[in-house]
Amino acid sequence: MLRSKRFWQEALYWLLLLALLTAGAYLLLTNLGEAGISDCDEARHGANAYEMMQSGDYVVSTYRGETDYWNLKPPLSMYSIMLGFKTFGFNAFGMRIYSAVSMWLCMLAVSLWMKKHYGSVASLAAQSFLLACAVFYGEHFARFGDADAQLLLFYTIGILCMLSSRKNLNWLYVSALCFGLAFMSKSWHAALIPVTCFVFVCITGQIKQLKLKNYLLLLFFGLLPIAPWAIARYMRDGMAFFGPMIGKDIVARATTVHETHYGDALYYVRFLLSDPACVLAIALCLIVLVWQIIRRVKLSSDQLGVALWVLVPLILYSICVSKLRWYLFVALPALSIAFGLCCRELLSLRKWPLRLISLALCFGLMGWWGLGNWQQVSAVENHDTYQRMIIENFDRDFDEGTPVYIQYESVNNYTSKVDYRVWVQDDLLCAVLYGGLDCRDGGIDAFMEEEEHAYLIAHEVGMDWDILGDCPIVSEDGLIMLIENLN
C-alpha cells in the first residue's frame, strides 16, 4: 500500500513538472521571432554570427567586413546563433532560439537538482518561480539573441555543482568547466563563478581539502574551453582584441560611467524589488531566516551557497560604477531555489490548514504572475516600421544582393552621434537576414547617384521630394517609404 502511494506521488510529480516545463517552453517560444531585432547587443551578436557564417572565419568576429573591436565577447554565442540560422533559417527566430533553449535547460537543471536534494514540492516551487519572474521573458534575455541566457545556463550548472561538491569534491571540476563555457559566452561576467566558489569553500572549510593537484585540475578544466580559441585569436591580431577586452569590459565599466550606464548603489536592489515574484521570494526567505534564528538553527551549506549566489554578484556589481540591470540576471535562479527551499519549510508547519493555505497562496501567486507573462508574450509584435518595411517587401530568394540605401529622420535625438544616412545595426541585420540585401550608406544623395537597380528606405522628415518624379514609392508604412529607382 505504501509503495503504491509513493508510486502515484512520484507519477503526479513528474506529470506536474512536465506541465510546468511545457508552460516554460510556451513562454519562451510563443512569438519568439515576432519582435523587431533590438539594437546594440542582439543586433551585434547576430551580425557577427551572420558574417562568420558567410566568411567561414570562426576565430575573428567582424562587423560589415571589418574586425569588430566593439563587441568584445568570445564567439560561443555566435556559434550558437549560426546553428540556429542553419536549422531555422535567416530570421529572428533562428537567431533567438539558442537563448530560449538555454533558459529551458536552466529550468530543467534547477528542477531536477531540487528534486534530487529537496523533494517534489521544492522542485515544483522553484520551477513556478522561473515561470512567474517576468525578467526572464523581457528585453535582453531568454527571448532575445543576447548571450545572457546562455551565460545563465552555464552559470547555474556551475553553482549547482559547487553546492554538490560538499559531498563529492569532483563536482568542483565541473564548476570550473562551466566557468570556461560561460567565459566563452560572455567573457569576464563568468569570473563570478570562481569568486563565488572560492568564498563558498572558504566559509564551509572545504578549502582545507584542496591540494596543489586540485588547483591544477581546476585551472585545466577552466581553461579547456577557452585556450584553443584564445590562442588562435592571439595569433591573428595579438593583443588588439584582448587589450580592450580587459580595459573596456573590466576597468572602464568598473571605474567609470561607461556608455551612459548610470546607477546608484541601490540600483540592483531596486531591480530585484521591481518584480513581484522576486519580492515574494525575498520576503519568504527573510521570514524563514528569522524563524531559523529564533529556533537557533544554523544555515546549511546549501543555504549559504544560495545566499552567496545572490550576494556576490549583487555586491560586486553594485560597487562597479557602470550599471546594467541584466548583469544581475545570474542571481535569479538562486531566488528560485531559495523560494523552493522556503516552500519546503512550509511543509513543516504543524497545523495542516496553515500549511495548505501558505503553499496554495505561494503557488497561486506564482501561477497568476506566470499567466501575466503568458499574456505578455502572446501579444508580442514588431513595432519597428523600418524592419517591417524590409520584412514585408524583400525576400532572400529573389532580392539577395540588391543595393538598398536608408535615410532616417534628419532631426532626431542621435543626430550629433549618428549619421542618419548610415544603417543602424538592428536594421542592417534585419536587411541581410530577411532579404540578403547589400546595405549601402549615403542616404538620398548616394541613392540618386546609383547606376544599378536599387531601393531607398526613407523617413518623411528630411525627405527630398524632388526625387519622386522618376522614382516611384513602392510601399508606405506610416512616415516610412520604400522608393525604387528604375535603372
Side-chain angles (χ1 to χ4, degrees), residues 52-66:
M52 264 191 180
M53 200 169 177
Q54 298 301 310
S55 68
D57 185 348
Y58 304 116
V59 176
V60 176
S61 55
T62 61
Y63 181 70
R64 304 196 77 172
E66 301 292 332

Side-chain angles (χ1 to χ4, degrees), residues 80-361:
S80 302
I81 292 172
M82 282 189 279
L83 180 60
F85 286 155
K86 282 184 175 292
T87 307
F88 298 100
F90 293 109
N91 49 59
F93 184 92
M95 178 177 62
R96 294 167 177 161
I97 185 63
Y98 88 105
S99 288
V101 170
S102 296
M103 184 64 215
W104 191 87
L105 291 175
C106 183
M107 291 177 177
L108 181 63
V110 168
S111 298
L112 295 181
W113 189 91
M114 290 294 284
K115 168 62 176 174
K116 179 179 179 180
H117 293 86
Y118 293 100
S120 300
V121 171
S123 174
L124 296 174
Q127 175 61 17
S128 71
F129 175 92
L130 296 175
L131 298 178
C133 184
V135 175
F136 294 122
Y137 311 102
E139 184 184 9
H140 213 287
F141 203 53
R143 292 174 51 84
F144 284 77
D146 309 294
D148 296 272
Q150 188 178 71
L151 167 71
L152 185 75
L153 173 62
F154 297 129
Y155 197 106
T156 298
I157 296 175
I159 301 298
L160 291 178
C161 290
M162 176 197 78
L163 298 177
S164 299
S165 70
R166 288 287 291 161
K167 295 181 179 179
N168 187 340
L169 191 64
N170 290 332
W171 283 112
L172 282 180
Y173 302 135
V174 184
S175 290
L177 181 63
C178 287
F179 156 73
L181 293 170
F183 183 91
M184 289 298 293
S185 295
K186 204 171 179 184
S187 187
W188 299 106
H189 294 269
L192 291 180
I193 298 175
V195 171
T196 305
C197 288
F198 178 74
V199 177
F200 179 76
V201 298
C202 287
I203 291 177
T204 59
Q206 196 174 358
I207 194 170
K208 298 176 183 178
Q209 303 175 31
L210 298 177
K211 310 299 180 184
L212 177 61
K213 179 185 73 173
N214 302 121
Y215 288 113
L216 292 176
L217 285 172
L218 288 170
L219 185 63
F220 170 78
F221 284 107
L223 293 178
L224 185 61
I226 303 172
W229 166 78
I231 293 171
R233 180 70 202 237
Y234 182 80
M235 293 177 66
R236 294 287 295 274
D237 57 3
M239 291 300 292
F241 180 85
F242 293 107
M245 190 182 184
I246 297 172
K248 178 180 176 181
D249 274 2
I250 298 180
V251 178
R253 295 184 187 278
T255 59
T256 63
V257 178
H258 188 65
E259 296 179 348
T260 68
H261 299 152
Y262 299 96
D264 59 20
L266 296 177
Y267 177 88
Y268 293 110
V269 175
R270 285 195 298 271
F271 163 68
L272 288 177
L273 297 179
S274 67
D275 187 274
C278 292
V279 172
L280 176 58
I282 293 171
L284 201 56
C285 287
L286 292 176
I287 292 172
V288 171
L289 177 61
V290 171
W291 180 237
Q292 287 192 223
I293 292 174
I294 292 174
R295 294 184 297 159
R296 297 182 180 179
V297 176
K298 292 183 179 179
L299 293 177
S300 67
S301 60
D302 284 348
Q303 289 174 321
L304 286 171
V306 171
L308 289 174
W309 191 346
V310 176
L311 293 175
V312 169
L314 177 62
I315 293 171
L316 292 182
Y317 284 138
S318 294
I319 293 173
C320 292
V321 178
S322 291
K323 303 288 195 301
L324 285 169
R325 57 186 175 80
W326 49 86
Y327 285 179
L328 203 64
F329 287 175
V330 293
L332 295 178
L335 288 180
S336 77
I337 292 175
F339 179 72
L341 295 177
C342 290
C343 287
R344 184 173 180 268
E345 287 293 320
L346 294 178
L347 288 174
S348 64
L349 294 174
R350 294 182 179 180
K351 297 182 179 181
W352 71 264
L354 182 59
R355 182 194 317 166
L356 182 62
I357 293 172
S358 300
L359 286 173
L361 181 61

